[in-house]
Amino acid sequence: MEMHSWLAYKNWAVIGATTNINKFGNKIFQRLIDAGYNVTPITPNHDEVEGIRAYSSIKELDFVPDVVNFVVNPRIGMRVLDDCIEQGVKRIWLQPGTVSKALVEKAENAGIEVVEHCVLVALNE
């Protein structure tokens, strides 16, 4: 599937969302909201991000997001990927710096589609 068609999906989760406005976990989260997306923050570090309830794990959600955006290092990403596989996630979007060959291979072997691109750039293209 072509990356830009993923932007039609409106229910996203951001792994690594943060309240720190200087970090990409906040910039990406906020930009998706500003663009009209329904975004769920996934972080064990905060109870809420920008006034929206945060969850410590994708496993806590009572729905499966259309797209899960990774804003964490690949080591953490591998653990999160296990949760995504277990929950039946179909699409993960890997930000620059979150990608590892092992992560991509594991996702694709589990039937998960993968995009490796900055969503901030994609939303402006």
Side-chain angles (χ1 to χ4, degrees), residues 58-59 70 78-90 92 103 105-112:
I58 202 95
K59 294 192 302 186
F70 283 49
M78 285 296 275
R79 291 197 306 267
V80 172
L81 179 59
D82 288 335
D83 294 344
C84 289
I85 292 167
E86 186 179 314
Q87 296 304 112
V89 169
K90 301 287 184 227
I92 61 172
L103 181 80
E105 284 179 0
K106 184 172 184 172
E108 290 176 343
N109 288 338
I112 297 174

